[in-house]
Amino acid sequence: MPSYRDFHRLSIDDPETFWREQARRIHWDTPFDTVLDRSNPPFARWFVGGRTNLCHNAVDRHLADRAQQNALVYVSTETGIERRYTYAELYAEINRMAAVMRSLGVKRGERVLLYLPMIPEALFAMLACARLGAIHSVVFGGFAAPSLAARIDDAKPVLIVTADAGARGGKVIDYTPLMDEALARAKHQPAHVLLIDRQLAPERLNATYLVAYEPLREQFFDAHVPCEWLESNEPSYVLYTSGTTGKPKGVVRDVGGYAVALAASMEYIFQGRAGDTMFTASDIGWVVGHSYIIYAPLLAGLTTVMYEGTPIRPDGGIWWRLVEQHRINLMFTAPTALRVLKKQDPALLKKSDLSSLRTLFLAGEPLDEPTSAWIADALGKPVVDNYWQTETGWPILAIPGGVEALPPKLGSPGVPSYGYDVTLRNEATGDECTPGEKGVIAIGYPLPPGCMKTVWGDDARFVSTYWSSVPGHQLYSTFDWGIQDEDGYVTILGRTDDVINVAGHRLGTREIEEALSSHAAVAEVAVVGVTDVVKGQVAFAFVVVRDAQQFADDKARNKLASELMKTVDRQLGAIGRPARVLLVSMLPKTRSGKLLRRAIAALAEGREPGDLPTIEDASALTMVRDALAGR
Ligand code: PRX
C-alpha cells in the first residue's frame, strides 16, 4: 500500500486511473468506455457507457459464494420481531417485491415513493426498485402530511409503498391517516398505493387505488425478475434534504458511481470484509441508512443489521446485547445516540461480550470530545468520526484506516477522503485559507463517484445552489465552516447557511419558519439552532404576533406556544418541533430587512452577538434577551 498522501494525490491528479481500478469491485454487464466525462462542468459522468445494476451487485452476485450467509438480520424492539434472511432468502423476497411492483406498472426510470418504517420490506422495496431500474425516493416516516405531499408532487411517483404504522419508543404512529391527508393535498396522484400491513394499527387508508402487499406476494412467490442493466449514469434514487430555502431538494444519485464509491469505502474507510456483520443504527429515510444500512454492506457481502427501536428500550444495554448476540464487527451511529446512552447505567455496557466489535463509526453531527472520550474508554475500541452529507453519499472527511493507519485527532473527523479535492476558502474572497484559518469547506470539480448528480428535475438549481457561492471559483460548497491544520485534518465549525442539526436530523430553519407562519396569529418568525447537550442542537422560535394585546398574559402566551408546536407537528412532523417558542415584539434585522439570525442564535446560547453595524434597531436585541430570560 502507498502512503495515504500519495494515494489521495493520485485520486486527484489522475482520477481516471484511480477510479478505473476501483470500478473492478463491481460487476459490469457491459464495460464502460470512458471513466470520466468532464465535458459539462460542474456535471460529471462516471463510467460512461458501462451497464450495471445495484441489486445484482448487492444480492445476485453473492449467491455463488454466500447464498447461505445471513444478508439481513432484522430486530425490532418495538414489536419483538426478529428475523434473519440469508442472501438466498433476500434474493427471493426482492424478486417477489419486484414482481409485485412490475404488476402494478412500475418500469425503468419511474419513481416509487417509499413511506415506510424500519421493516425488512423497506429494504426489499428499495432493492426491488434497483432491480427494475425504477428510482426510489424514501421519505422519512417522521415527516407530516404536507411535507410528504410536497415530495409526492416533486417526485411524481407511479407507486407509493407504505405501511399501516410505524412505532417508536413503544408508541404506534398511524401512517394511513397521514398518507390519506398527503394524497388529498398532493396534485400528483400515484397509480397505486401498496400497503404493507404490520397489523399494528387499524388500516384506514381511503385511497381507492389501495393494494395489499401480502396476497400479491403470495401470487408472485416464485417469481424471478431479471435485473435491468442501467447505464452507469441513470438515476438510482432521489433523496430529499433541507437547505436554505423552504423547498427541499431532491438529491439525485447515479448507479455505477455510487456502487463503486460505496464498495471502495467499505475497504478504505470502514474496513468491512465480506462475511462481517455491520450494525448501522440510523433510519432508511436518511442518507446514512441508504448507504450504510442497505447498499454498502450488501455490495461488499456483509451481513447488515436493521434495527427498529430506540437505544434505551427496553433498557440502555440493548445495542450492546445485539453486538454480543449477532457478533457485530462494525457499528455506525450518530453522536446523539451516545449522548443519550451516556446518561444510562454504565454497568450495562460491561454486561455484554463486545469482543466481536472492531470499530464504532460516528457521523452526522459534531462529535464532542467528552462523548468521544467516554465511549472510547467504555468500549475499549476505536471510535472513528467521519464527515459527509446527503449530497455526497459517503465520507468527505475520514480516517482512511484501510489505506494507512493515520492517527485520529480529537475534535476532527479526519483528512479529505480520496477523490475529494477539499480546500478551505475565505467566504468573501474565495481565496484558499492558510492552515489554522477558518473558511468554508469546498470541493473541487469533479465530485468523486457516488456524489449527487443534480437536483431532481432542476439542473439550474444544482449549479446555483452548490457551485456558485465561492467567489471567483467554480467549487462545490458544503455550506460548512471548518479549519484545516498543517497535517490536513479538518475540524468542522458548523453550517454557513440556515440548516440545523437536531439529534443528527438535518432540518432547514426556513421550513420550520414556514410551518409556524401558517398559524393565523403569527406575523413574523425567526427560527435558529441553539446548542443542546444531548441533541447537539435544538430549534428556538422567536415569534412576532399580529395582535400583541391578545397574548399579554402568560396563560395566553403558553397556549399559543403549544398551538404553534402542534402546527409544526402537523406541517412538518414532530422532528421539526421547536424546543422553545418565545414571543417578541420585534426581530433584529439589518437596515435592508435581513434577519440577523447569527445574532439571535448567539443570544440564545448566552453569547454576545458582537458588532452589528448594519442593525436597524438595536432594541430588538434587548427584546430577544428579555424573552429568553422570561421577562
Ligand atoms: O453540517 C454537517 C453535519 O451534517 C451535515 C449533513 O447532514 P446530512 O445531509 O443529514 O448527512 C449526514 C451524513 C453523515 C453536514 O453538512 N455533519 C455531518 N457529519 C458530521 C457533521 N458535522 C460534524 N461532524 C461530522 N462528522
Side-chain angles (χ1 to χ4, degrees):
M1 268 286 172
S3 74
Y4 182 67
R5 193 177 285 270
D6 293 343
F7 187 80
H8 183 263
R9 194 70 267 152
L10 173 71
S11 75
I12 304 303
D13 291 346
D14 186 359
E16 279 87 354
T17 302
F18 184 91
W19 290 106
R20 179 180 289 113
E21 192 58 33
Q22 299 304 327
R24 288 150 52 129
R25 295 174 184 278
I26 69 158
H27 169 82
W28 297 90
D29 186 62
T30 308
F32 48 88
D33 36 57
T34 309
V35 177
L36 167 61
D37 167 11
R38 33 174 134 198
S39 61
N40 184 25
F43 299 91
R45 302 195 320 137
W46 289 97
F47 311 118
V48 182
R51 289 185 178 270
T52 187
N53 180 287
L54 275 166
C55 184
H56 175 89
N57 279 285
V59 183
D60 301 31
R61 191 171 51 125
H62 300 308
L63 293 177
D65 294 336
R66 46 191 82 254
Q68 299 316 316
Q69 177 196 312
N70 282 333
L72 169 65
V73 171
Y74 174 74
V75 179
S76 170
T77 48
E78 299 291 344
T79 58
I81 289 173
E82 204 175 307
R83 288 199 193 115
R84 289 159 197 249
Y85 299 85
T86 63
Y87 271 96
E89 288 162 344
L90 188 60
Y91 172 85
E93 288 294 352
I94 292 166
N95 275 276
R96 287 165 199 148
M97 181 69 83
V100 170
M101 286 186 176
R102 194 172 56 178
S103 78
L104 297 174
V106 175
K107 291 193 197 69
R108 175 177 186 156
E110 268 163 347
R111 274 78 58 213
V112 176
L113 187 140
L114 309 180
Y115 188 75
L116 288 167
M118 291 287 281
I119 51 175
E121 287 79 3
L123 182 146
F124 307 157
M126 288 166 79
L127 288 162
C129 287
R131 197 167 188 86
L132 295 168
I135 302 165
H136 60 67
S137 186
V138 183
V139 177
F140 177 61
F143 279 118
S147 302
L148 179 55
R151 286 154 178 79
I152 293 172
D153 279 337
D154 196 71
K156 300 191 172 48
V158 56
L159 175 72
I160 292 179
V161 187
T162 191
D164 55 336
R168 183 152 180 96
K171 261 189 14 214
V172 168
I173 304 138
D174 276 14
Y175 276 14
T176 49
L178 259 162
M179 184 57 73
D180 261 339
E181 191 194 332
L183 288 170
R185 284 170 173 267
K187 288 188 203 72
H188 173 85
Q189 297 293 301
H192 299 282
V193 177
L194 185 62
L195 184 96
I196 319 275
D197 189 1
R198 309 176 74 188
Q199 312 205 327
L200 286 184
E203 183 266 288
R204 284 187 291 223
L205 200 65
N206 290 322
T208 46
Y209 31 67
L210 179 71
V211 242
Y213 179 59
E214 198 47 40
L216 286 175
R217 175 178 174 271
E218 286 300 317
Q219 189 184 328
F220 292 104
F221 201 77
D222 298 316
H224 290 275
V225 177
C227 286
E228 279 284 330
W229 298 111
L230 303 178
E231 200 278 335
S232 178
N233 294 279
E234 285 181 55
S236 58
Y237 68 74
V238 178
L239 181 57
Y240 288 89
T241 192
S242 306
T244 296
T245 64
K247 187 175 181 264
K249 294 178 289 267
V251 167
V252 178
R253 200 86 63 206
D254 70 0
V255 177
Y258 189 51
V260 170
L262 290 185
S265 77
M266 283 308 285
E267 176 178 343
Y268 296 139
I269 298 170
F270 295 94
Q271 293 178 268
R273 295 178 288 265
D276 280 349
T277 298
M278 181 166 188
F279 170 27
T280 299
S282 176
D283 190 282
I284 49 145
W286 308 120
V287 72
V288 175
H290 279 60
S291 291
Y292 295 101
I293 297 175
I294 312 285
Y295 286 110
L298 296 179
L299 285 166
L302 279 76
T303 302
T304 188
V305 177
M306 185 176 186
Y307 175 73
E308 181 185 54
T310 72
I312 52 168
R313 254 181 108 254
D315 61 61
I318 177 64
W319 282 5
W320 315 121
R321 288 199 293 281
L322 291 181
V323 170
E324 174 177 322
Q325 275 162 21
H326 303 289
R327 306 300 298 156
I328 288 166
N329 308 110
L330 306 170
M331 252 178 101
F332 189 176
T333 189
T336 292
L338 297 179
R339 290 192 291 264
V340 168
L341 285 173
K342 202 170 149 191
K343 295 186 159 175
Q344 305 291 308
D345 177 5
L348 286 168
L349 220 152
K350 303 280 176 220
K351 277 194 185 148
S352 297
D353 170 9
L354 305 179
S355 57
S356 61
L357 187 65
R358 296 200 297 267
T359 314
L360 170 64
F361 294 94
L362 296 171
E365 51 174 329
L367 172 60
D368 55 289
E369 297 187 14
T371 302
S372 168
W374 167 75
I375 190 67
D377 183 54
L379 282 178
K381 314 269 177 182
V383 173
V384 180
D385 191 4
N386 56 104
Y387 157 85
W388 45 294
Q389 309 182 305
T390 305
E391 288 83 347
T392 67
W394 61 283
I396 304 169
L397 299 173
I399 296 293
V403 185
E404 187 189 338
L406 293 180
K409 291 192 189 184
L410 265 184
S412 163
V415 297
S417 300
Y418 49 90
Y420 288 97
D421 186 10
V422 172
T423 51
L424 277 88
R425 298 281 166 167
N426 182 292
E427 189 189 30
T429 64
D431 293 342
E432 228 179 300
C433 298
T434 51
E437 190 190 342
K438 178 179 170 179
V440 178
I441 302 170
I443 307 172
Y445 177 79
L447 294 178
C451 292
M452 86 185 282
K453 308 297 287 184
T454 187
V455 173
W456 177 252
D458 201 345
D459 285 351
R461 193 168 175 209
F462 176 60
V463 181
S464 65
T465 300
Y466 292 103
W467 295 88
S468 312
S469 74
V470 179
H473 302 269
Q474 193 171 51
L475 291 168
Y476 170 89
S477 175
T478 60
F479 299 101
D480 280 302
W481 296 111
I483 289 188
Q484 192 165 30
D485 73 7
E486 301 274 357
D487 302 324
Y489 289 69
V490 180
T491 301
I492 312 293
L493 300 172
R495 297 280 301 195
T496 66
D497 61 3
D498 301 324
V499 168
I500 61 171
N501 202 316
V502 180
H505 297 177
R506 174 169 161 180
L507 296 166
T509 51
R510 297 287 170 97
E511 290 168 78
I512 305 174
E513 287 171 3
E514 277 180 22
L516 289 166
S517 302
S518 71
H519 191 286
V522 174
E524 232 190 329
V525 54
V527 172
V528 297
V530 179
T531 308
D532 180 86
V533 283
V534 174
K535 295 182 173 178
Q537 274 185 310
V538 290
F540 275 23
F542 294 86
V543 174
V544 180
V545 289
R546 284 183 203 285
D547 178 5
Q549 278 180 353
Q550 241 186 300
F551 304 103
D553 64 278
D554 280 352
K555 205 169 148 219
R557 285 167 177 253
N558 291 342
K559 186 165 164 274
L560 177 66
S562 87
E563 258 178 58
L564 287 172
M565 292 194 191
K566 284 202 194 100
T567 306
V568 175
D569 287 2
R570 273 196 309 273
Q571 295 280 322
L572 206 60
I575 54 166
R577 188 192 303 160
R580 286 182 76 183
V581 174
L582 300 157
L583 266 53
V584 288
S585 43
M586 189 192 339
L587 289 167
K589 284 186 190 166
T590 63
R591 279 188 284 277
S592 56
K594 244 186 97 191
L595 264 175
L596 288 162
R597 289 161 196 282
R598 287 185 201 171
I600 303 174
L603 290 173
E605 289 178 350
R607 293 179 286 117
E608 276 311 307
D611 260 2
L612 297 165
T614 60
I615 194 164
E616 162 89 35
D617 183 345
S619 66
L621 296 174
T622 312
M623 291 175 193
V624 169
R625 268 197 201 96
D626 286 351
L628 283 161
R631 288 193 287 265

